[in-house]
Amino acid sequence: MGQILVGTCSWTDRALVGSGWYPPGRRDAEGRLRHYAERFGVVEVDASYYALPGERNSRLWAERTPDGFVFDVKAFSLLTGHPTREAVMPDGLRAEHRDPAVLDQVWDRFAAGIEPLREAGRLGSVLFQFPPWFRPGERAEAFLRECAERTAGWQLAVEFRHPSWWEPGQAGATGALLTRHGMAAVAVDMTQKLASSVPPVTPVTSPRLSVVRFHGRSTAWGTGSKEDRFRHAYGEDELAEWLPRVRRLAERTEQVHVLFNNCCGDAAVSAAETMKRLLDEARPTDDARPTHDVRSTDDVRSTDDVPPADAAPSTAARLPRARPAPGVPPTPGPRPTPARSSSSSSPRRAAG
């Protein structure tokens, strides 16, 4: 059985900071992270989507967290084809994802920014969350292949926002594509009442990692404000639906990251605390099935096969194990060397 680490998709969200969850005396930058890391084993760095991560911050994060704690870092918006503000681009670069020279520099900056986490054994995965217009097709496959080449040595997790990737008839090919590149498929929990709803299937595409992200079940997902999109307080029964599925993922991977993205007030940390408790209490024999209107993992059974460990890319670093014995330092993986690209392909054009 692999490890199951539970956490949230940010520890610095303004609504969380203002909710009172952080106690007096631990509301500065260092205190917040230390308080969070005492309660959870993983956190997602959301800020790296909006601006390139800096080496200094990454080094401080590593110093302020215990051995075994890991950060899942969200890829910078330009690297996944999302609109990017010129103001956050380094050295006056244009926010132009079609320019290979710009992409090369941004990739280099991103890699350097997260290197201290990797060196310290704190880098769990890099999350590539693709936009809704990124659909299956030859150009999308070419883009994923380029991502894999540029990130050799990292564990990547991929979340698709267009439901067609996991619909019957396509799901098998999607799972095979991610497996080929050693990328972990991200399962999602969200409302199933919208045409854009991604089904919560749970294929295993990497022997090292599976990720589940809980977005809440607001029907304002695609139209409302940030608060409207993520306003959902998970009930214990809704979380219990996922217990057997999370455990099945853990039976087939080294680590499972369960992350809550319903970032309104303290809703995400509250749900994460409840999920941790339920997982501790649940028996491995629990075989309850989800009761809300979702597709089960059986819809993509053909994508569930995990490649044998010796078939995994030789450059892929093993995920750090939680809380190693005192005095035993984590062993980081090889440093990735972002590949230079002569291609003009881009995430937006790869949308197919």
Side-chain angles (χ1 to χ4, degrees):
M1 175 76 72
Q3 291 181 311
I4 302 173
L5 301 182
V6 180
T8 65
C9 293
S10 174
W11 77 97
T12 61
D13 185 80
R14 184 177 300 177
L16 173 60
V17 174
S19 72
W21 187 73
Y22 291 108
R26 308 199 77 176
R27 293 176 179 171
D28 63 327
E30 180 174 356
R32 290 196 301 264
L33 182 53
R34 290 189 183 278
H35 181 78
Y36 178 97
E38 288 169 2
R39 286 151 181 80
F40 302 109
V42 61
V43 74
E44 184 177 292
V45 180
D46 182 64
S48 54
Y49 169 83
Y50 299 98
L52 285 165
E55 293 179 63
R56 179 177 180 276
N57 277 344
S58 291
R59 191 170 295 109
L60 288 173
W61 295 341
E63 292 171 356
R64 293 169 177 174
T65 50
D67 288 348
F69 185 91
V70 295
F71 294 82
D72 287 352
V73 182
K74 198 171 183 180
F76 183 52
S77 57
L78 191 83
L79 302 181
T80 52
H82 286 88
T84 303
R85 295 184 299 117
E86 297 281 353
V88 302
M89 294 294 291
D91 301 331
L93 288 174
R94 296 170 303 145
E96 179 50 71
H97 54 259
R98 293 183 177 87
D99 187 333
V102 170
L103 279 176
D104 285 341
Q105 292 190 58
V106 171
W107 271 108
D108 284 345
R109 292 296 188 94
F110 185 84
I114 65 175
E115 178 63 11
L117 292 176
R118 192 208 63 79
E119 288 180 337
R122 299 286 197 276
L123 182 61
S125 71
V126 176
L127 170 66
F128 276 74
Q129 184 185 66
F130 288 104
W133 54 84
F134 190 79
R135 304 187 183 195
E138 291 183 3
R139 286 181 291 180
E141 292 185 18
F143 180 72
L144 287 169
R145 182 170 59 250
E146 182 177 345
C147 284
E149 292 170 354
R150 287 183 179 270
T151 59
W154 299 352
Q155 175 63 66
L156 262 59
V158 173
E159 178 178 345
F160 296 117
R161 284 294 184 87
H162 197 282
S164 62
W165 287 94
W166 297 117
E167 290 177 347
Q170 173 62 39
T174 298
L177 174 65
L178 296 181
T179 298
R180 187 159 60 249
H181 295 308
M183 298 173 175
V186 175
V188 299
D189 180 273
M190 63 180 298
T191 179
Q192 294 298 297
K193 297 180 180 179
L194 303 173
S196 60
S197 296
V198 177
V201 295
T202 54
V204 173
T205 58
S206 167
R208 297 184 175 88
L209 178 69
S210 286
V211 179
V212 184
R213 299 180 82 236
F214 286 77
H215 294 304
R217 298 183 183 179
S218 171
T219 54
W221 173 254
T223 57
S225 65
K226 177 184 176 182
E227 289 72 20
D228 292 334
R229 294 196 306 273
F230 296 103
R231 184 179 290 112
H232 182 78
Y234 278 99
E236 190 166 312
D237 57 335
E238 293 174 324
L239 299 178
E241 295 170 1
W242 277 86
L243 295 181
R245 307 176 80 187
V246 169
R247 288 196 174 278
R248 283 197 292 272
L249 291 174
E251 289 171 356
R252 309 180 67 186
T253 57
E254 292 180 6
Q255 232 173 60
V256 180
H257 294 179
V258 179
L259 294 160
F260 287 87
N261 195 33
N262 54 323
C263 298
C264 281
D266 64 352
V269 292
S270 177
E273 289 168 343
T274 301
M275 177 62 89
K276 278 189 64 181
R277 175 176 58 79
L278 291 175
L279 284 166
D280 288 340
E281 295 172 352
R283 296 178 180 273
T285 56
D286 182 4
D287 60 355
R289 302 294 293 178
T291 58
H292 67 297
D293 184 18
V294 301
R295 293 175 185 156
S296 74
T297 54
D298 294 339
D299 292 332
V300 288
R301 184 175 298 153
S302 61
T303 71
D304 281 347
D305 292 333
V306 183
D310 59 359
S314 59
T315 55
R318 293 279 175 174
L319 291 173
R321 304 297 288 178
R323 309 292 190 270
V328 181
T331 303
R335 175 169 183 165
T337 303
R340 297 293 179 180
S341 171
S342 59
S343 166
S344 62
S345 65
S346 69
R348 183 72 60 87
R349 291 179 61 199

